[in-house]
Structures are given as structure tokens and as C-alpha cells.
Amino acid sequence: MVMADSLSERRIQVAILLFPSVDVLDFAGPLEILSHAGSSPNPEKSKQLFEVSLVAKDELVHAASNLTVKRDISLDEARDRLSEFEVLIVPGGPLKVIMSLIENGNPELQLIRDFAELSAPSPGRILFSVCTGALLLGSAGLLEGKKVTTHHIALDLLRTVCKNAAGRAGGGPTEVVHERLVDGGLLMSGTRIITAGGITSGLDAALYVVALETSKATAESVARRIEYDWHQGDGVTA
């Protein structure tokens, strides 16, 4: 955990991976949470604790609901700067889109693998999926031996994806459960795996990340500020 006072000179660097038809709330929800995490409960005197970069292959991303989003940095730039990021958020999208990314071996998958394999500095990196984004982590072979979750309609598919990827890391079978969020613990690299359930679960998981990276008090302050009822007890956490 990094206390807010020690972050006055820097911000925690976060990358959010975007792709065509990405679900809006999957990435915008955590983005909103992180943007309200400040060094003081008083927003007039507060300094932002997180700096978020939207990462995508194309400059303009056509997300779900006809929303067009402009990326901050390209996949290539993100790969070159990957060690700068402490958190990578992988949102979900329609199953046919997610499976297409998996089956075609798109570069987004390699970025996820590369981030997960980075040696983790103290207090460690976090790889955080929302909704069906867990399928991308599973396909990358990162969920072996972990307890994980995803949207309830994709639980069986996640089990299949993880089974098909089994053997890459030698970590044993994946336990897929129906929860709002699951802290799956650390990879060999020291990167923490957090998976959130469907859509709004990403809000709870993002607040959990704020608590891990700063303090529970800061996360509770964010929840109050945005008038959100944080489901703190709904999930499997460390």
C-alpha cells in the first residue's frame, strides 16, 4: 500500500486497454473511480493519485453503444513504456468480439502477457479484468491455479478457455466462481490478478484497487463522493 502523502510528487500510472466494441461501463466505470481518488477528502485541495492512459491499436476506438473514444497512446508506445505502468485494466465486450481477439492472436493479448511477466516493484503491479475481459487473461495462460470470475453468462466459457490454455504456466486448474470480484493473488512475477464480474462489478473492483494502492479510507471517500454504495463484502479478497 502507498499512503496518499507519499504520492504528492507522483501519480500511480494506470493503462486501460481498449478495442473495438469494448463495453463502455467496463472501462469508464473504473476510469471514473480512479479519477476521483485524491490526496484529500476535500476535492478543492486534493491532488489526483492516479494517472490513466487509454491504450488502443487504432487512434479512434468505436466502443459499444456507438461511442467513439480517442486513445491516449498506441499499443506500440504502451509496449515500449510498459514498465512505467503499475495497473493494467482489461475491460470486456461482446463474446464474439472477445473470442475473435483470442482466436486471431491479436496484439492486445501479447500486451497483457508482457505486462503480467514484468517483475513487480513494491508494492507490486495489478492486472485487473472487468466482465468478459477475464477471457483474455485466461487465454493468455495467466489464470492457472487461480480463483477467478467474469460475467455470469461467460462462466462456463471462461472455464473452457482456461482449460484450453492449461499447461503454459504449470499452475494447476482454474477455479471459476460467480462473484462480484475475486483477488486471485500473485503470479510468479509478483503481479496481482484481480477479476471482476459483470459490468458494474468493475466499480467495486476499482474501489478495491484504490484501497490496495492507497488506503481503504481513500476508497471509501471516493465511494461517498460519487454516491455509490460500495459492495465491500461481495467478493473474494485477500
Side-chain angles (χ1 to χ4, degrees), residues 28-199:
L31 173 60
E32 183 76 5
I33 295 291
L34 297 177
S35 70
H36 284 286
S39 58
S40 167
N42 184 347
E44 299 299 323
K45 299 180 179 180
S46 183
K47 295 181 180 179
Q48 286 191 324
L49 300 180
F50 295 86
E51 182 173 349
V52 180
S53 298
L54 302 178
V55 179
K57 180 179 179 182
D58 300 316
E59 184 173 5
L60 296 178
V61 180
H62 299 292
S65 303
N66 295 316
L67 177 69
T68 299
V69 182
K70 188 176 185 298
R71 74 183 182 194
D72 294 314
I73 59 175
S74 67
L75 284 175
D76 288 340
E77 183 179 352
R79 190 173 294 109
D80 291 340
R81 296 174 47 197
L82 205 52
S83 62
E84 299 176 17
F85 295 102
E86 294 158 84
V87 181
L88 174 62
I89 300 176
V90 182
L95 290 177
K96 64 180 181 180
V97 172
I98 297 295
M99 294 310 295
S100 177
L101 291 174
I102 291 173
E103 291 163 2
N104 294 327
N106 284 39
E108 289 87 352
L109 280 178
Q110 190 58 50
L111 184 76
I112 294 169
R113 289 193 189 96
D114 291 345
F115 179 85
E117 292 170 359
L118 289 171
S119 58
S122 179
R125 289 189 169 86
I126 293 176
L127 179 54
F128 160 24
S129 69
V130 181
C131 198
T132 55
L135 295 166
L136 297 176
L137 274 59
S139 175
L142 303 175
L143 302 184
E144 286 191 52
K146 302 296 183 188
K147 180 178 288 187
V148 299
T149 193
T150 184
H151 193 287
H152 66 90
I153 67 169
L155 292 170
D156 286 339
L157 181 57
L158 180 57
R159 292 185 182 100
T160 299
V161 167
C162 291
K163 184 177 181 180
N164 290 341
R168 296 179 185 176
T174 305
E175 183 181 356
V176 179
V177 296
H178 185 198
E179 296 282 358
R180 285 191 69 81
L181 74 102
V182 176
D183 184 336
L186 305 179
L187 298 172
M188 292 294 292
S189 64
T191 297
R192 182 173 298 278
I193 297 288
I194 297 173
T195 54
I199 311 175

Side-chain angles (χ1 to χ4, degrees), residues 197-219:
I199 311 175
T200 60
S201 301
L203 299 171
D204 298 316
L207 286 165
Y208 178 66
V209 168
V210 171
L212 285 177
E213 291 291 296
T214 60
S215 69
K216 184 178 179 182
T218 300

